[in-house]
Amino acid sequence: MSLEMGGVTLGMREAVIVLIALVALYMVFVLLRMRHLRAAAGQKVGKASVAVTPAAPFAEEEAEIPPPASAPEPWQAAPARLADTVLQQGLEQEVAQLREELDSIRGELAALREDMLNELAHLRATQSVSPIYGDAMQMAAAGYEPAMIADRCGIARAEAELVVALAKSQER
């Protein structure tokens, strides 16, 4: 794609170069404008920072007014103490709330630890049992009768009754 004007052929490449040159000129213009604005702002600040000397009093009545005291009045100090008190109360309430939350988290952690230890003890007990008695325990926990457990697992009926009693004691 190209454009021919007055014997000069302008292509996409030349158009991009012209566009870049225009953007560069615009950037220079903006930088010069910013520099000019900064200089103008600096002059305004310089004029405002000139110290103003107080004028002499116009009447004797004005000259007798005492200068303001440097020490704060009691009514001025009260809001500062009040703000400190309010801040301290807010912090105390926040600390109390955090302590309550910490206590509840500790309680939950203790309950979880207890559950984990029970599960671990149960897991260790089932791992140390032979597979036959493990199946018998599962059947007893499911509610099967001792006679059916004895038949399916190939154990004596007295052993099956013992397994059912063990399963019931663990449920409690």
Side-chain angles (χ1 to χ4, degrees):
M1 187 161 76
S2 64
L3 177 64
E4 192 169 329
M5 293 178 64
V8 178
T9 305
L10 298 175
M12 183 63 82
R13 182 177 180 194
E14 288 81 12
V16 170
I17 291 172
V18 168
L19 185 62
I20 291 172
L22 288 173
V23 169
L25 285 173
Y26 179 71
M27 288 175 54
V28 168
F29 171 75
V30 169
L31 288 174
L32 289 175
R33 179 79 176 138
M34 287 174 56
R35 195 169 182 192
H36 174 69
L37 289 174
R38 183 185 298 169
Q43 289 175 356
K44 287 181 182 178
V45 170
K47 289 178 183 177
S49 65
V50 174
V52 177
T53 57
F58 293 110
E60 290 181 26
E61 297 167 358
E62 293 178 5
E64 293 177 11
I65 298 175
S70 61
E73 295 292 325
W75 62 270
Q76 290 174 334
R81 280 185 267 133
L82 180 63
D84 291 340
T85 306
V86 169
L87 178 65
Q88 184 177 2
Q89 288 175 349
L91 290 174
E92 288 173 354
Q93 287 176 349
E94 198 170 328
V95 167
Q97 182 182 3
L98 288 172
R99 285 183 178 159
E100 289 174 7
E101 290 176 4
L102 183 63
D103 289 340
S104 69
I105 289 173
R106 283 181 179 162
E108 290 174 7
L109 182 63
L112 288 173
R113 183 179 296 132
E114 184 74 26
D115 290 344
M116 182 192 67
L117 291 175
N118 287 340
E119 288 291 325
L120 184 62
H122 182 67
L123 182 64
R124 285 183 183 160
T126 58
Q127 287 178 351
S128 63
V129 175
S130 71
I132 295 172
Y133 289 108
D135 292 342
M137 281 294 285
Q138 287 179 351
M139 290 178 70
Y144 287 96
E145 294 293 322
M148 183 174 280
I149 294 172
D151 288 340
R152 290 213 177 156
C153 295
I155 59 175
R157 186 176 174 125
E159 290 174 325
E161 289 175 358
L162 181 63
V163 168
V164 169
L166 267 169
K168 286 182 181 177
S169 70
Q170 284 184 353
E171 286 178 7
R172 292 183 203 152

